[in-house]
Amino acid sequence: MSEQQTPIVWERHLSANPTPDAERERILENPAFGANFTDHQIVVVWEKDKGWHSASVEPYGPILMDPSAAVLHYGQEIFEGIKAYRHQDGSIWTFRPTANAARLQKSAHRMALPELPTEIFVDSLRELIAVDGAWVPEPVNEKTLYIRPFEIAAENFLGVRAAQRAEYRVIASPVGPYFTGGIKPVSIWIALESARAGRHGTGEAKTGGNYAASLLAQMEGYDNGCSQVMFLDAESATYIEELGGMNLFFVFKDGHVATPSLDGTILRGITRDSVITLIKDRGIEVQERKVTLDEVRAGVNSGEIVEIFACGTAAVITPIGQLKSREETIGSADAEPGELTVSLRRELTGIQYGTVEDRHNWMVKLS
Ligand SMILES: *Cc1c(COP(=O)(O)O)cnc(C)c1O
């Protein structure tokens, strides 16, 4: 749980040379994922004896850091991914921010970092949008402002223990579709020789090290024409867990849907949770259970499994055409996106862009 915190006062130190309007408009025309950043960043400092303090909006720029800063040596780092959506009337919204705040707290707990109170998390998004709202693209071609809150161990000390000074920061980047191919089914590489998370490890925490652990397999996947990697359980390489940054769903011919159960090694995706709710709303059964690679191979080959999709904030919902490893290919690269996949994607993005009724009160207005 978050610790007791006196209300925080925000200071704004605005950039003396923000991006010229014309340059920003040019970037917003066709933003690449995570390549351009807005004019400001959020900084909130935590110290063991003071708690969270010094909350401010600062010009976007490098972090001045001592080479002995703990994060550089022991990887004490956590992050979140959340988007800001512009609606037709010009207002700016975000999706389930208190769920991201709660997950950041859980990640902090696991990585021995201080837990940022939910209120500061939500306020930090409002503060950033208050100064950089012009960076939220018009609602066309799935453009959004991708927001990256993160927390780092910022104590200058090489001893191995939880840092006594930490920084929470937020940066933001206008983005277009995550996969440049549009909603065309992607190919996924099955990691047979590397795992991202083990029992009682850090798989449930959104921490940089999990991503570092996934990159070797991802490079192998790229070399084999795949755009993401699927990880199996580390112990037996039998059960499907998730992709490097997305959760997985399997749609069966008889109508039910299955997704790997959260057993401590899988990231608790907020998109995953929302998709489960949307599927159940339709009266469709969702089974959260163990799913084996053997079951998926047999199901795709027999036609029992009719759709596979991945989901996460960055890529929303992405159809999967085939699963590949050095040993086999399951499914087909030119499969059409499945019916449920496409319709869930339309519903979820509709809720986010304010064109479909928000039955679950997921959207929070930022500006
Ligand atoms: C962030 C992330 C997801 C997706 O989570 P969302 O909350 O839906 O964005 C899935 N898997 C991993 C490993 C992640 O880091």
Side-chain angles (χ1 to χ4, degrees):
M1 280 290 94
S2 326
E3 37 196 298
Q4 202 57 35
Q5 182 77 36
T6 45
I8 213 145
V9 180
W10 289 89
E11 285 190 23
R12 285 188 192 167
H13 303 131
L14 297 184
S15 171
N17 49 358
T19 311
D21 290 352
E23 169 71 0
R24 187 186 62 242
E25 290 310 318
R26 193 191 58 75
I27 292 168
L28 293 183
E29 280 288 299
N30 190 17
F33 189 89
N36 301 101
F37 298 91
T38 67
D39 293 307
H40 297 90
Q41 61 181 322
I42 297 293
V43 186
V44 189
V45 177
W46 176 88
E47 286 172 286
K48 190 163 189 250
D49 52 354
K50 287 191 190 157
W52 291 101
H53 65 88
S54 304
S56 64
V57 172
E58 301 290 336
Y60 185 90
I63 301 177
L64 187 63
M65 196 177 269
D66 194 275
S68 71
V71 64
L72 301 177
H73 302 273
Y74 308 125
Q76 222 190 336
E77 186 268 358
I78 55 174
F79 65 94
E80 273 303 320
I82 186 167
K83 285 173 167 173
Y85 309 83
R86 189 180 293 282
H87 287 186
Q88 279 307 340
D89 65 0
S91 58
I92 298 170
W93 300 70
T94 193
F95 184 72
R96 304 187 69 182
T98 55
N100 292 84
R103 186 170 65 192
L104 188 70
Q105 288 155 7
K106 286 189 74 172
S107 298
H109 176 74
R110 179 63 185 84
M111 304 307 289
L113 280 162
E115 295 177 32
L116 184 83
T118 301
E119 193 191 332
I120 301 181
F121 181 89
V122 177
D123 281 352
S124 73
L125 306 181
R126 278 192 219 287
E127 280 294 311
L128 192 65
I129 293 303
V131 295
D132 282 341
W135 285 90
V136 183
E138 291 301 317
V140 289
N141 301 329
E142 293 193 3
K143 288 194 259 189
T144 59
L145 183 67
Y146 182 80
I147 304 176
R148 167 54 56 84
F150 62 105
E151 215 180 297
I152 54 175
E155 184 184 359
N156 306 330
F157 179 56
L158 285 188
V160 180
R161 60 152 168 71
Q164 299 186 353
R165 184 179 188 282
E167 288 177 9
Y168 165 75
R169 290 179 182 252
V170 186
I171 57 173
S173 169
V175 298
Y178 189 78
F179 291 114
T180 43
I183 58 161
K184 208 167 95 227
V186 297
S187 298
I188 299 295
W189 185 247
I190 308 168
L192 295 179
E193 278 135 28
S194 72
R196 70 174 278 287
R199 199 160 77 97
H200 297 168
T202 59
E204 242 187 30
K206 213 167 170 73
T207 182
N210 291 341
Y211 279 71
S214 77
L215 298 180
L216 182 63
Q218 185 182 299
M219 282 196 325
E220 197 177 68
Y222 286 165
D223 289 345
N224 287 277
C226 295
S227 50
Q228 283 262 327
V229 176
M230 185 176 92
F231 291 95
L232 305 173
D233 75 288
E235 237 151 297
S236 68
T238 304
Y239 304 105
I240 291 176
E241 296 206 318
E242 60 171 321
L243 305 187
M246 280 187 269
N247 297 114
L248 285 166
F249 283 81
F250 303 89
V251 183
F252 289 74
K253 194 173 63 186
D254 71 6
H256 85 276
V257 176
T259 188
S261 40
L262 301 172
D263 57 0
T265 54
I266 296 177
L267 203 285
R268 293 172 172 266
I270 294 160
T271 318
R272 174 189 181 279
D273 183 74
S274 310
V275 163
I276 289 174
T277 300
L278 294 180
I279 297 173
K280 287 182 176 167
D281 283 353
R282 296 174 183 213
I284 296 171
E285 182 195 356
V286 184
Q287 299 175 355
E288 293 184 64
R289 61 169 170 85
K290 288 191 180 301
V291 178
T292 65
L293 180 58
D294 286 345
E295 177 188 3
V296 168
R297 177 188 306 111
V300 170
N301 290 338
S302 70
E304 208 58 43
I305 292 178
V306 289
E307 303 178 33
I308 306 177
F309 66 84
C311 70
T313 298
V316 199
I317 292 174
T318 300
I320 292 173
Q322 67 178 0
L323 304 173
K324 274 165 74 172
S325 73
R326 245 197 289 288
E327 293 167 5
E328 63 179 333
T329 298
I330 302 169
S332 153
D334 12 80
E336 289 295 312
E339 207 178 304
L340 185 65
T341 305
V342 170
S343 109
L344 285 170
R345 190 177 211 285
R346 195 168 296 143
E347 184 177 10
L348 182 59
T349 52
I351 291 169
Q352 292 167 334
Y353 285 103
T355 58
V356 168
E357 192 204 344
D358 177 20
R359 298 188 300 277
H360 299 284
N361 292 318
W362 283 336
M363 302 308 291
V364 171
K365 195 173 182 184
L366 294 177
S367 160

